[in-house]
Amino acid sequence: MIRLKKCSLIWLTLLLLLIATAVNAAEKNFVEIDIYSVNDFHGHLRAEAADPGIAVLSGVINELMKQNPVGSLLLGGGDMFSGTIDANEYQGLPVVTAMNKMGFSANTAGNHIFDYPLDVIKRQAAAANFPILGANIVEAAGDRVAEPFKPYVMLQRNGLTIGILGLTTVETKEKASQFNLQKVKILPPEQIAQVYVDELRRQGAQIIVLLTHIGSSQGEKHGITGEIVPILQKNSWSRCRCHRTFTFVCQRDIWRYSGNPGRMLWGGSWQNQFVIFHGSSEGCFCKFAYL
């Protein structure tokens, strides 16, 4: 009996050592990426009424990104450059300057980018330290992505290669200035999304972020609704996990934030997985783990 107890104790010790070794190995391979998205800023540079202004927003984002300086991404979800006299009077350039200083890595085009004619958008893009994405905004006379838009951008964060694919709403065709749309056409995003996903994979993207300005919503019980659904149905999106199994996550009010934001923890195996962001009337804070 004594020998049996000794054997059991030895095996238990070995098992605990194996578990500890596995945990340590997992911890060594754990990479944390934080993604922050702001959309529908609409040029609210100054603090007035319910709008805290760019100084407060910048301060909040700066403090958050300090928590993970090598693994944080700041993205724009569209409709950033117009909407107030401060922005409109100078054709959106003050907002571009502010976004440069904040360290935005990309901004997807929203329908309100065509509040400006294409030559002004080109000046905005030239002044920006980040690309303006719009994979489904193509030349009116062809199928190439219209200048100055880019379909995607590849970024490095914390040792990972991240592809950011930008898409905008087809409602742009009805909502935007028809004069400003003369030289471009807006393709259905589900028509071309997979083409660029495959291209990003070939180029070595380990994580693909779909950064869209597309009206959609997700409820905990009712699933995903809205314009994003055909993209998810037609293309091979993988499901992400955020406490529950979701494909589409992220509805946090970041722009009108004035307190301590909550952040979602995403975990799982993220090789060639997708993180889905969209531009609703809110921005969002999201965080996930790459194992």
Side-chain angles (χ1 to χ4, degrees), residues 53-198:
I54 193 66
V56 171
L57 178 62
S58 179
V60 170
I61 293 293
N62 187 51
E63 288 302 311
L64 288 167
M65 294 182 74
K66 280 181 181 178
Q67 297 174 25
N68 186 12
V70 298
S72 292
L73 275 173
L74 178 56
L75 305 175
D79 284 359
M80 304 292 284
F81 302 156
S82 64
T84 66
I85 191 170
D86 297 323
N88 298 353
E89 184 71 15
Y90 299 97
Q91 299 182 323
L93 292 175
V95 181
V96 173
T97 299
M99 291 174 68
N100 284 344
K101 290 183 180 297
M102 289 177 66
F104 276 79
S105 294
N107 178 53
T108 204
N111 52 289
H112 278 286
I113 199 163
F114 291 103
D115 289 350
Y116 301 108
L118 200 57
D119 61 333
V120 172
I121 299 172
K122 289 179 179 180
R123 288 200 292 273
Q124 293 168 345
N129 295 339
F130 50 87
I132 301 176
L133 306 180
N136 61 323
I137 304 175
V138 301
E139 296 172 345
D143 293 320
R144 292 190 304 176
V145 175
E147 291 291 338
F149 304 105
K150 306 295 181 186
Y152 60 79
V153 63
M154 299 276 281
L155 302 168
Q156 296 290 324
R157 288 296 185 278
N158 220 352
L160 297 178
T161 302
I162 303 172
I164 314 292
L165 171 60
L167 297 167
T168 197
T169 174
V170 291
E171 292 180 359
T172 300
K173 293 185 288 186
E174 288 75 42
K175 291 182 175 180
S177 162
Q178 296 304 300
F179 179 82
N180 293 341
L181 286 171
Q182 289 180 93
K183 296 180 180 180
V184 303
K185 58 186 177 183
I186 313 296
L187 299 179
E190 65 273 15
Q191 179 179 319
I192 50 86
Q194 191 64 44
V195 173
Y196 287 110
V197 166
D198 293 341

Side-chain angles (χ1 to χ4, degrees), residues 163 165 167 193 208-212 228 231-232 237 275-278:
L165 171 60
L167 297 167
I208 298 177
V209 177
L210 179 59
L211 181 66
T212 80
I228 197 75
I231 302 175
L232 303 179
W237 307 115
V275 182
I276 314 297
F277 281 83
H278 77 110

Side-chain angles (χ1 to χ4, degrees), residues 249-265:
V249 187
C250 206
Q251 295 190 63
R252 295 270 183 167
D253 193 348
I254 171 176
W255 163 227
R256 297 187 185 280
Y257 158 75
S258 60
N260 184 31
R263 292 192 295 171
M264 302 177 187
L265 176 63

Side-chain angles (χ1 to χ4, degrees), residues 14 25 39 47 49 53 71 94-95 98-99 122 151 195 201 215-216 238-239 256 276 279-280:
L14 287 173
N39 57 271
V95 181
M99 291 174 68
K122 289 179 179 180
V195 173
R201 282 175 166 166
S216 311
S238 299
R239 287 193 175 271
R256 297 187 185 280
I276 314 297
S280 65

